Amino acid sequence: MIDLNAIATLLFNRLALDAAGSAVRAQLGAGANGLIHAQDLAGYGADRPLPTRMLLALRRGRVPTSERIIRLPSWTWWIYDDPGQGYYRINQLIPLLEQAYTAAPVQLASGNVLGTLQFDIGDETSDPVLGLLCCTFKIVVEAV
Amino acid sequence: MSDNGFDGILAGLEQLGRDIEAAAVRGLANGAAQIQTAARASAAYNDDSGATRASTVAFVVVGGGADGAAIDAALAEAEQNRPGSGQAIELSFVDRDNPRVVVTAMTNYVEPLVVKYAGQNDFLGPTMDSDAPRLMDAAFAAIGQELSS
């Protein structure tokens, strides 16, 4: 059985807690506090400023509905940085993200290891509401 | 030169290729309709005015051309729900050599909308994640029908 919550926790904690994610944390303005869940983004504002950039926000994608293919759950890290930085730091972070997820197996509490992870990098874009540059790093879990 | 020799076989194969491609395009159009339905059912829309949901459209582009009626109808939906929001899509960026399916909404704020708050209102990407296989299924089905007819 696919436990999406367990996988999401694993993917988040790989960057937040694991040694394999330390290089990513070192690049974030607030370290592990710069890792947030995407649904919390709207709660930030004047009274509650966003963590110092760069920061990362994780959002779960949808699972393919076709019965002809294996289900491929996905999660996307949205990488944010200040406009004055351009995309330089964002682009430097992307290989560190890939290394974080490939340096060591991502293992469920059950002992099962997540299968092949595929990565997809999105376009350089910006969020006009947050006023930040962003780019996506999508993780597709090919088998669980 | 005789029609029933090698030239005839070659012409038949070329016609078969055209028929298969035409069937694939018909299938993709069926798949695009399913994608459009799935996208419009998304819970991600802001539904402030309804313009984005109502103008969400999926269509096939072949050789740089598309179903103008579908595009015009989507544009009209955008304008009806939020006057001044309609924006025609630029098709020049679409691959002219191969059939493609475009899924979008005909509003002038769709791009920032799908990016805002890490895709909070993104009705396109998640729909493609979940429903894009329908395009291949529909194309295969149409090709299968063509070959068995």
Side-chain angles (χ1 to χ4, degrees):
Chain A
M1 180 181 291
I2 295 176
D3 186 340
L4 295 172
N5 288 331
I7 299 171
T9 300
L10 276 177
L11 296 178
F12 191 94
N13 286 345
R14 171 52 54 100
L15 299 190
L17 302 173
D18 294 356
S22 61
V24 171
R25 291 195 295 276
Q27 298 303 313
L28 304 183
N33 290 328
L35 298 160
I36 61 179
H37 294 284
Q39 61 267 30
D40 296 334
L41 272 174
Y44 289 91
D47 296 339
R48 187 186 176 209
L50 280 165
T52 306
R53 272 65 70 188
M54 291 188 288
L55 67 89
L56 293 168
L58 184 65
R59 183 178 295 283
R60 202 195 108 187
R62 287 179 60 185
V63 179
T65 54
S66 171
E67 294 177 2
R68 194 166 55 79
I69 64 172
I70 299 170
R71 287 178 288 177
L72 303 170
S74 66
W75 284 261
T76 298
W77 280 110
W78 287 69
I79 313 165
Y80 289 100
D81 204 357
D82 294 312
Q85 298 291 341
Y87 292 96
Y88 184 74
R89 297 196 306 187
I90 288 175
N91 289 329
Q92 279 191 316
L93 191 67
I94 288 169
L96 299 181
L97 284 166
E98 183 167 351
Q99 285 172 20
Y101 286 105
T102 56
V106 184
Q107 193 160 14
L108 292 159
S110 63
N112 293 336
V113 175
L114 297 190
T116 305
L117 302 180
Q118 289 221 342
F119 308 111
D120 183 30
I121 302 161
D123 291 334
E124 293 177 342
T125 184
S126 59
D127 183 329
V129 177
L130 295 175
L132 299 173
L133 303 181
C134 57
C135 183
T136 55
F137 181 84
K138 182 176 179 179
I139 304 166
V140 180
V141 180
E142 287 206 326
V144 290
Chain B
M1 188 176 291
S2 169
D3 287 347
N4 55 10
F6 180 75
D7 288 350
I9 295 172
L10 193 58
L13 288 173
E14 288 174 345
Q15 183 60 48
L16 178 64
R18 288 191 291 271
D19 290 345
I20 289 174
E21 185 170 337
V25 170
R26 287 197 303 274
L28 286 175
N30 290 337
Q34 296 175 45
I35 296 280
Q36 179 176 308
T37 299
R40 287 189 180 191
S42 171
Y45 290 98
N46 209 7
D47 282 331
D48 201 14
S49 70
T52 308
R53 188 189 295 273
S55 71
T56 295
V57 63
F59 52 87
V60 182
V61 180
V62 182
D67 179 356
I71 295 172
D72 290 345
L75 262 175
E77 289 284 358
E79 284 295 328
Q80 183 178 334
N81 285 275
R82 177 169 279 179
S85 72
Q87 179 168 292
I89 186 169
E90 177 60 58
L91 293 178
S92 61
F93 71 93
V94 181
D95 181 358
R96 296 182 66 88
D97 297 328
N98 299 290
R100 299 292 182 192
V101 171
V102 171
V103 190
T104 187
M106 294 293 182
T107 57
N108 53 16
Y109 52 86
V110 64
E111 287 186 43
L113 182 71
V114 298
V115 172
K116 185 180 82 171
Y117 292 145
Q120 174 179 277
N121 298 124
D122 184 8
F123 55 95
L124 294 174
T127 297
M128 294 308 290
D129 280 349
S130 63
D131 291 90
R134 294 175 187 273
L135 292 171
M136 191 70 81
D137 290 344
F140 280 141
I143 291 170
Q145 285 176 356
E146 178 66 31
L147 293 176
S148 62
S149 63

